[in-house]
Amino acid sequence: MRDWSSAKWVDPSLHWKPQPVQELPGRVLLDLATTCNLRCPMCPVWGSEDDQAIDSVTGAMALESSRRLLDEIMKAQPLIQPNMYGEPLLAPNLREQIMEMKSRGMAVAMNTNGLTLNESLAQFFVDQKVDSVMFSIDAVTRKTLRKIRGIDKLENLEAAVFRLMKMRGDAPFPRVGVSFTIQPDNAHEVDEFVSRWAGVVDVVRMGLLFENGTFPDMETPEPRLPCPALYNTLPVHNDGTVTICCLDGFKTTNMGNVFKDGVGAVWDGEEFAKVRYYHETHQWDKVPFCKPCNGWAQFSFEEEIRDGLLIRKSPQYTYYNKIARLNNWQGNLLGGHPKPSEELVGVGDT
């Protein structure tokens, strides 16, 4: 990696000792299509009332552009998430895109609302050994679902989960999970949701709501540390723009464009280097997008085993992993990281 110690934005009096950065990211988020069939109020993009801002980020990633990107990062064998603020099942050329990823030996883990998951697509995911599919449900009653996601088709969402599980059978992949983002309108259903799904699917993910630049309900540990995402995650929007992190749905930050400059040039570029420097020297004010955020804390965790479940808790997430299905939790899902993939794909739930 390039030596930035003599850059004009580095203060010599701080005696900066840069943290190591791998040559290529171990996790790459590709927003294949920034489009969605829902307008969930909790979503930073589709829950916005600013239609003009939404229009400014919508679009689909060109297949040839993504191919070039995949060729460049193939040697790193990163974990690929084919969505951020788009419903991946609506992406044009989704099957071709996934085949391109899997043919290069990459792990693929996605979040989806599952509304358009028919038998043909479910079978495709099984045949391609897509590594993880997480269904965003967020409710156990139709009334609550209406408040959280603007629809009352709870039976359709649950049917999609069981459709994929039926197609997969006892095969290892895909790893099938359901997620629940805790917020005032569904907090009363947390325990019932866990009871409904834990031990049924491979994993249940319970997460906190992100709003106004932070996770307000998170108990944030001290001291504040540099965000691990800066050292392992590359968020690529449909036009190739890279932002500081996946929480920046409206692209208010810009680290560069991988379709124009290549992944290596952006990942090892000056914009990322500056943000890492400011984090490492605790100059949070120099990165306005990061200043209020406490999402960095999600990367620490503790575990317990109870009732046939491996329960992993971080300040942001709690995962209920079915021990009998842990064979599809390791391996490629690590994506070059010390922790399983579902702990790294919670943002941008669709």
Side-chain angles (χ1 to χ4, degrees):
M1 300 295 286
R2 183 174 171 183
D3 180 7
W4 294 98
S5 59
S6 299
K8 60 182 179 181
W9 36 266
V10 173
D11 183 350
S13 68
L14 296 178
H15 305 291
W16 176 46
K17 295 182 179 179
Q19 292 187 17
V21 181
Q22 54 196 343
E23 181 182 357
L24 290 169
R27 173 184 177 231
V28 178
L29 315 181
L30 299 180
D31 213 3
L32 297 183
T34 313
T35 185
C36 195
N37 46 5
L38 296 178
R39 294 292 293 266
C40 304
M42 65 178 169
C43 180
V45 172
W46 299 101
S48 172
E49 296 180 356
D50 189 340
D51 290 338
Q52 186 174 357
I54 292 175
D55 289 342
S56 72
V57 298
T58 57
M61 186 176 293
L63 180 59
E64 186 55 39
S65 296
S66 65
R67 279 184 182 138
R68 292 196 303 271
L69 183 151
L70 293 173
D71 285 340
E72 184 177 358
I73 63 177
M74 182 170 59
K75 65 179 180 180
Q77 289 293 283
L79 168 69
I80 304 292
Q81 180 183 325
N83 68 294
M84 279 195 291
Y85 289 100
E87 166 50 50
L89 305 192
L90 300 181
N93 305 312
L94 175 63
R95 298 188 187 215
E96 291 89 342
Q97 296 274 20
I98 289 179
M99 291 174 67
E100 294 285 352
M101 298 168 193
K102 297 303 294 183
S103 69
R104 291 167 173 78
M106 299 177 186
V108 178
M110 70 176 71
N111 297 305
T112 177
N113 59 45
L115 286 173
T116 58
L117 182 73
N118 55 32
E119 290 189 358
S120 174
L121 189 54
Q123 187 63 58
F124 172 79
F125 288 161
V126 173
D127 293 342
Q128 288 295 312
K129 295 182 174 63
V130 169
D131 298 79
S132 176
V133 179
M134 184 76 72
F135 294 87
S136 306
I137 298 183
D138 301 300
V140 294
T141 63
R142 297 176 68 181
K143 180 180 179 180
T144 298
L145 186 66
R146 168 65 69 177
K147 293 179 181 179
I148 299 299
R149 305 188 72 80
I151 59 172
D152 59 8
K153 300 177 181 178
L154 183 60
E155 297 85 355
N156 297 44
L157 299 183
E158 294 190 345
V161 178
F162 289 111
R163 182 174 301 122
L164 183 56
M165 291 180 66
K166 180 181 179 181
M167 290 289 183
R168 181 199 65 187
D170 294 328
F173 301 104
R175 178 168 175 78
V176 178
V178 296
S179 69
F180 186 106
T181 301
I182 304 168
Q183 49 204 291
D185 284 331
N186 68 0
H188 63 287
E189 293 186 356
V190 165
D191 291 342
E192 190 175 354
F193 187 85
V194 174
S195 297
R196 167 78 175 94
W197 291 105
V200 176
V201 293
D202 300 337
V203 59
V204 175
R205 181 178 71 214
M206 309 297 289
L208 299 180
L209 181 68
F210 178 77
E211 58 181 353
N212 299 321
T214 190
F215 295 88
D217 295 327
M218 182 189 294
E219 294 184 8
T220 309
E222 295 288 348
R224 181 170 181 173
L225 302 174
C227 183
L230 295 172
Y231 305 88
N232 58 39
T233 302
L234 186 78
V236 183
H237 294 256
N238 63 72
D239 62 352
T241 298
V242 173
T243 50
I244 287 179
C245 84
C246 57
L247 294 171
D248 187 5
F250 283 122
K251 297 188 290 188
T252 62
T253 62
N254 190 338
M255 302 293 101
N257 190 295
V258 292
F259 295 158
K260 297 177 181 177
D261 303 318
V263 172
V266 173
W267 184 244
D268 190 28
E270 186 170 15
E271 294 305 313
F272 258 127
K274 283 195 292 186
V275 174
R276 293 174 186 132
Y277 164 71
Y278 291 134
H279 273 238
E280 291 168 16
T281 54
H282 300 174
Q283 298 184 73
W284 316 114
D285 290 349
K286 297 290 184 66
V287 193
F289 184 84
C290 299
K291 180 181 178 180
C293 185
N294 53 359
W296 60 270
Q298 68 168 293
F299 292 85
S300 62
F301 63 91
E302 57 184 27
E303 292 180 342
E304 66 173 307
I305 294 176
R306 187 176 72 237
D307 301 326
L309 301 169
L310 172 62
I311 303 172
R312 174 170 283 195
K313 297 181 179 180
S314 76
Q316 184 179 339
Y317 293 113
T318 299
Y319 294 86
Y320 298 84
N321 298 281
K322 186 177 180 180
I323 291 177
R325 293 289 302 179
L326 285 180
N327 63 320
N328 62 13
W329 189 42
Q330 304 292 335
N332 285 338
L333 280 175
L334 294 174
H337 298 287
K339 295 187 296 178
S341 70
E342 63 263 20
E343 305 210 4
L344 298 169
V345 295
V347 177
D349 285 356
T350 53

